[in-house]
Amino acid sequence: MNFSIHTWNVNSVRARADHISHWLDTIQPDLFALQETKVTDDLFPTSLFEKKGYGIEFYGQKSYNGVAIGYKKSKIFSPTSVVKNNPLFVDDQARFLASSFEISTGFTIRLVCIYVPNGSEVGSDKYHYKLDFLDSLTDFLQLELKTHENICLLGDFNIAPADIDVYDCKIWHEKILCSKAEREKFNKLLALDFLDTFRVLNPTKQMFSWWDYRQAAFRRNLGLRIDHILTTKNLFYSINKSGITTEIRKREKSSDHAPCWVEITI
DNA sequence: ATGGCAACTCCAAGTTGA
């Protein structure tokens, strides 16, 4: 059985309704995680997904943040063990959503969708909040690993893991998204038992997932790779391909992020 | 040196993002 997992920071699920609709039609993701939905749960546009045959779990708040996990109903069973926010991290912002999916008998994937804080500026209060968020995430996953062999940690990490993931590493040296401490937190996550699927499957490829709206950054390909799909090594053995759907960033009124994906055969 | 764009919000100028 083949299936795909995607992650996309949509920068408002309501403002991006047409894009999401088009994306579901053309890409037909089997499982997906969304970030920056920017809407409270009572106003979440469930029907946008339901009418295309998708189920959707969501956890949001007013104006900012917000995460969701969707699944193709004809192929994937309903989620179990849904967790909203990391139980080890007191947070008034909606940035974390986990759920388990039984793909086939005996093969379950634990999906952990995250929207890591941006961090604003190195050394700021928001920066320390970001680092704390990542520490608690690491603690959470360490516990999850005791009971799950197939974990997929995906979302907007707001970290460019290495210089190859940045269009100009001199400009971004020790800037937010690229600082040593942020990269160390990323590597600490990997050290638990995870692999950065895109980088392992495309070792020398420079490809980005985010481009600033300003300065015609997308046209000039001035981007960073800050959205990621990490999997446990056990799950990684089933992955064939990992990529980024940059076409979608070309469209009018697009999100500033492009969706990232993996293809899996079990 | 700064802003540039886009989405949000008690509807409109301030906040946030990356």
Side-chain angles (χ1 to χ4, degrees):
Chain A
M1 176 190 181
N2 293 309
F3 66 101
S4 61
I5 304 179
H6 305 246
T7 181
W8 188 15
N9 179 325
V10 291
N11 186 16
S12 173
V13 72
R14 290 179 294 177
R16 220 61 64 205
D18 289 345
H19 285 74
I20 292 169
S21 183
H22 176 260
W23 179 65
L24 293 176
D25 288 341
T26 53
I27 304 293
Q28 298 189 15
D30 296 311
L31 274 170
F32 60 87
L34 304 178
Q35 302 84 35
E36 283 207 82
T37 54
K38 296 188 173 183
V39 65
T40 51
D41 292 349
D42 56 319
L43 296 174
F44 191 92
T46 311
S47 64
L48 168 65
F49 300 91
E50 291 284 347
K51 70 184 177 196
K52 307 255 179 216
Y54 286 90
I56 187 105
E57 293 284 331
F58 41 86
Y59 177 50
Q61 65 181 90
K62 195 174 181 177
S63 307
Y64 302 112
N65 312 313
V67 279
I69 291 177
Y71 57 99
K72 193 185 276 175
K73 283 177 161 180
S74 62
K75 204 158 160 182
I76 311 277
F77 294 122
S78 297
T80 54
S81 309
V82 177
V83 178
K84 297 177 176 182
N85 266 11
N86 179 353
L88 305 178
F89 188 62
V90 178
D91 197 350
D92 58 2
Q93 304 188 24
R95 297 179 172 277
F96 176 108
L97 182 63
S99 54
S100 296
F101 293 89
E102 188 175 4
I103 307 297
S104 66
T105 308
F107 194 94
T108 298
I109 292 188
R110 185 95 175 117
L111 226 60
V112 181
C113 167
I114 53 166
Y115 173 45
V116 177
N118 163 274
S120 187
E121 230 177 291
V122 174
S124 66
D125 287 351
K126 288 178 179 174
Y127 181 71
H128 292 292
Y129 164 61
K130 177 179 194 171
L131 298 181
D132 290 345
F133 179 97
L134 291 163
D135 279 338
S136 297
L137 178 67
T138 307
D139 293 341
F140 173 84
L141 289 164
Q142 191 155 32
L143 292 176
E144 291 285 294
L145 282 162
K146 293 181 179 177
T147 49
H148 302 86
E149 56 180 0
N150 299 320
I151 301 179
C152 179
L153 172 67
L154 75 177
D156 180 353
F157 285 63
N158 269 319
I159 300 172
D163 285 349
I164 189 178
D165 301 309
V166 184
Y167 70 91
D168 187 333
C169 59
K170 288 197 182 76
I171 289 175
W172 284 84
H173 179 72
E174 280 305 309
K175 294 285 190 305
I176 199 69
L177 318 183
C178 299
S179 73
K180 191 165 172 250
E182 291 166 88
R183 287 177 170 178
E184 279 173 0
K185 299 296 181 196
F186 186 84
N187 288 327
K188 249 182 113 177
L189 282 168
L190 293 182
L192 288 173
D193 182 45
F194 287 95
L195 293 171
D196 173 355
T197 57
F198 180 87
R199 184 50 69 218
V200 175
L201 293 169
N202 311 279
T204 59
K205 198 169 190 171
Q206 186 174 55
M207 212 166 174
F208 308 128
S209 69
W210 170 83
W211 302 259
D212 202 305
Y213 281 123
R214 297 165 289 190
Q215 294 184 300
F218 181 72
R219 185 178 53 74
R220 299 159 64 202
N221 200 26
L222 307 180
L224 279 74
R225 190 175 70 93
I226 55 175
D227 300 86
H228 308 294
I229 301 179
L230 273 49
T231 66
T232 50
K233 294 194 180 80
N234 190 70
L235 179 56
F236 182 80
Y237 298 135
S238 304
I239 298 180
N240 316 310
K241 268 200 255 179
S242 176
I244 305 176
T245 312
T246 54
E247 296 73 33
I248 203 149
R249 182 64 175 79
K250 295 174 189 163
R251 291 166 58 90
E252 282 289 306
K253 303 258 306 175
S254 74
S255 166
D256 45 355
H257 294 252
C260 305
W261 52 266
V262 290
E263 272 180 22
I264 302 181
T265 305
I266 55 167

